[in-house]
Amino acid sequence: MSFPASHPLTVAPTSRRELNKAATREAIALAALDFLRSGDLNTFTVDDVAEAAGVSRRTFFNYFSSVEAAVASFTQNYLDQVIVELEARPAGEPLLESAQIALSALGNAHDLGILAETFALTQDPQLSRFQLQAWDECSTKITQFARDRMPAGTDELFLFTLVGAVIGGGRAAFLVWFLEHGTDVTQASLSDLRNKLQAAISLIRQGFPN
Amino acid sequence: MSFPASHPLTVAPTSRRELNKAATREAIALAALDFLRSGDLNTFTVDDVAEAAGVSRRTFFNYFSSVEAAVASFTQNYLDQVIVELEARPAGEPLLESAQIALSALGNAHDLGILAETFALTQDPQLSRFQLQAWDECSTKITQFARDRMPAGTDELFLFTLVGAVIGGGRAAFLVWFLEHGTDVTQASLSDLRNKLQAAISLIRQGFPN
DNA sequence: TGCATCTTTGCACTTAGTGTAGCAATATGA
DNA sequence: TCATATTGCTACACTAAGTGCAAAGATGCA
């Protein structure tokens, strides 16, 4: 979970406690991911994950409400970053351009590799639910963002549809990318992901005249 | 669960057993909805729902894997209908037009009222996950449908983005509709929902040139 | 160092979810 | 109509999820 460290925007809350908590959180999430790599959900338990992460079962639940939630944290982190990037864009910039840039302002290769892996490992419906929720929460935040940046009184349906389409397109780009590259995250496949994200948003912008 | 009855497309499997099962399923889902109407998820248990539906706890789990899944069945039914409507459209028709028609070919007012209610009652993240999954499964089906109807060799990113945008727009229409009308399902609000669905798809078609 | 604050842990408890085997209802064929 | 095969329902037992609580341990601060 390199998110807090790589984005010291909020006063750098790098106290010992914060560091410890971040490390614990990451350890748990990684342990959960590791179990998923070698089997499906019902081949291991929360106790297993907790033990592997070196914490008690109770502490696991202090950080995540379930294994699924722990695995979804990687996606969550990426989307949180997208929001940060989005809010860093200049106010005058067209919204779809901001979205294009924010979505493809991807982190380092290692984090992205894990993100790609979660795509692979969360085909199980039980797991995919939590990914979907992460995207949905992101939608809500972007809608709020868009409402602030658009002219006052912009039609709500227009707003929601725009954001819904952007998120739908973003997920589409990730999905197609993953279908083509799997968990292979080279520099080349990364740049392809950026291309796909940009292409998807471009399609949204242009529309689909038949 | 009027779905099987109202769509006797598949040889009318109306045997006694089928009828009983459909009735039980509906009873369970309605019982779950009823408990949600008067409190949140953790104010009642599966046992409560089973008892209210007049079945054993074990039978509940024979039909649904959780209370959340039971509540999501209403959305599921609507989206299943959308797929049926979609597949009934002529092959030559432009895809977005088919989608527009299929999405707004809504069932009767009573079923829609319940659908609207589930929008209201599933703001709880625990519940919304299952709604999101229903929409996502619908996406997958529509993507397959679109692949079949588009020229062979159509770009996959184009396909996924188009479908992602359509589903995003569809959900946006429902959301805005619900935000405006709540669970009030009159003839007028229904026709507004149809308008919103059509408007959303139109936006997708036109695109968002800034 | 001593005290206040926050985090982790163990324990006990309720509820979720599932395998299994027997029982009840429906279907089928004469 | 009856006998029998098939399918669904139920009770029971069991593992694991998730949570409240209070004590112990770690960190922050003066």
Side-chain angles (χ1 to χ4, degrees):
Chain A
M1 202 148 309
S2 58
F3 172 50
S6 66
H7 272 269
L9 293 180
T10 53
V11 208
T14 323
S15 72
R16 196 46 165 278
R17 274 180 178 156
E18 296 299 324
L19 286 176
N20 285 347
K21 279 178 42 168
T24 303
R25 196 178 171 80
E26 187 181 16
I28 293 174
L30 285 174
L33 188 64
D34 226 35
F35 274 102
L36 263 192
R37 287 189 178 113
S38 49
D40 57 4
L41 262 185
N42 42 11
T43 59
F44 63 96
T45 70
V46 170
D47 297 70
D48 295 331
V49 176
E51 190 184 351
V55 298
S56 74
R57 166 191 158 72
R58 192 62 185 82
T59 294
F60 175 98
F61 284 112
N62 283 345
Y63 282 88
F64 299 105
S65 63
S66 64
V67 175
E68 295 91 316
V71 174
S73 71
F74 299 105
T75 302
Q76 192 83 56
N77 289 345
Y78 162 70
L79 293 175
D80 284 351
Q81 280 212 38
V82 169
I83 300 288
V84 170
E85 298 287 347
L86 200 58
E87 285 172 344
R89 301 305 309 167
E93 190 175 61
L95 221 122
L96 280 173
E97 207 170 309
S98 298
Q100 212 164 30
I101 292 169
L103 278 168
S104 51
L106 303 157
N108 62 64
H110 177 254
D111 286 358
L112 252 190
I114 291 185
L115 188 55
E117 244 191 307
T118 62
F119 256 84
L121 297 171
T122 54
Q123 293 311 88
D124 178 353
Q126 186 90 22
L127 284 159
S128 74
R129 277 196 273 280
F130 285 75
Q131 308 278 336
L132 290 170
Q133 191 171 24
W135 285 93
D136 189 55
E137 275 167 23
C138 183
S139 283
T140 305
K141 286 176 194 160
I142 294 185
T143 303
Q144 187 51 50
F145 171 83
R147 210 195 316 274
D148 292 345
R149 298 246 168 156
M150 302 280 285
T154 298
D155 182 40
E156 284 288 291
L157 182 58
F158 178 87
L159 212 60
F160 276 80
T161 304
L162 173 55
V163 174
V166 166
I167 292 294
R171 279 194 63 225
F174 266 95
L175 255 161
V176 173
W177 175 68
F178 171 69
L179 290 176
E180 287 180 11
H181 297 276
T183 59
D184 163 62
V185 184
T186 61
Q187 209 59 16
S189 94
L190 264 187
S191 106
D192 186 38
L193 175 55
R194 280 197 194 82
N195 286 342
K196 285 191 193 321
L197 282 163
Q198 305 219 341
I201 303 296
S202 285
L203 280 171
I204 302 294
R205 192 200 324 254
Q206 292 169 215
F208 300 86
N210 261 34
Chain B
M1 202 147 307
S2 59
F3 173 49
S6 67
H7 271 272
L9 293 179
T10 55
V11 209
T14 325
S15 72
R16 192 50 164 278
R17 273 182 178 153
E18 295 299 325
L19 286 175
N20 285 346
K21 281 180 33 170
T24 303
R25 196 177 171 81
E26 188 182 14
I28 294 173
L30 285 175
L33 188 64
D34 228 35
F35 275 102
L36 265 192
R37 286 191 178 112
S38 48
D40 59 1
L41 262 186
N42 41 12
T43 58
F44 63 95
T45 71
V46 171
D47 297 70
D48 294 331
V49 176
E51 190 184 351
V55 298
S56 75
R57 169 189 156 74
R58 192 61 183 82
T59 294
F60 175 97
F61 284 112
N62 282 345
Y63 282 89
F64 299 106
S65 63
S66 64
V67 174
E68 295 91 317
V71 175
S73 70
F74 299 105
T75 302
Q76 192 83 56
N77 289 343
Y78 162 70
L79 293 174
D80 284 350
Q81 280 211 39
V82 169
I83 300 288
V84 170
E85 299 286 347
L86 200 58
E87 285 172 344
R89 301 305 308 166
E93 191 176 62
L95 223 122
L96 281 174
E97 207 170 310
S98 298
Q100 211 164 29
I101 293 170
L103 278 168
S104 51
L106 303 157
N108 61 65
H110 176 254
D111 286 359
L112 252 190
I114 291 183
L115 189 55
E117 245 192 306
T118 62
F119 256 84
L121 297 171
T122 55
Q123 295 310 90
D124 177 354
Q126 185 91 22
L127 283 159
S128 74
R129 277 197 274 279
F130 284 75
Q131 307 279 335
L132 291 170
Q133 191 171 25
W135 286 93
D136 189 55
E137 276 168 21
C138 185
S139 283
T140 306
K141 286 177 192 159
I142 294 184
T143 304
Q144 186 52 50
F145 171 82
R147 210 195 316 272
D148 293 345
R149 299 242 169 157
M150 302 279 285
T154 299
D155 182 40
E156 285 288 292
L157 182 59
F158 178 87
L159 212 59
F160 276 81
T161 304
L162 173 54
V163 174
V166 166
I167 292 294
R171 279 194 64 226
F174 266 94
L175 257 161
V176 173
W177 175 68
F178 171 68
L179 289 176
E180 289 181 8
H181 297 275
T183 58
D184 164 60
V185 184
T186 60
Q187 208 59 18
S189 94
L190 263 187
S191 107
D192 186 38
L193 173 55
R194 281 197 193 83
N195 286 342
K196 285 190 192 322
L197 281 163
Q198 304 219 340
I201 303 295
S202 286
L203 281 170
I204 303 293
R205 193 202 322 255
Q206 291 167 216
F208 300 85
N210 264 30

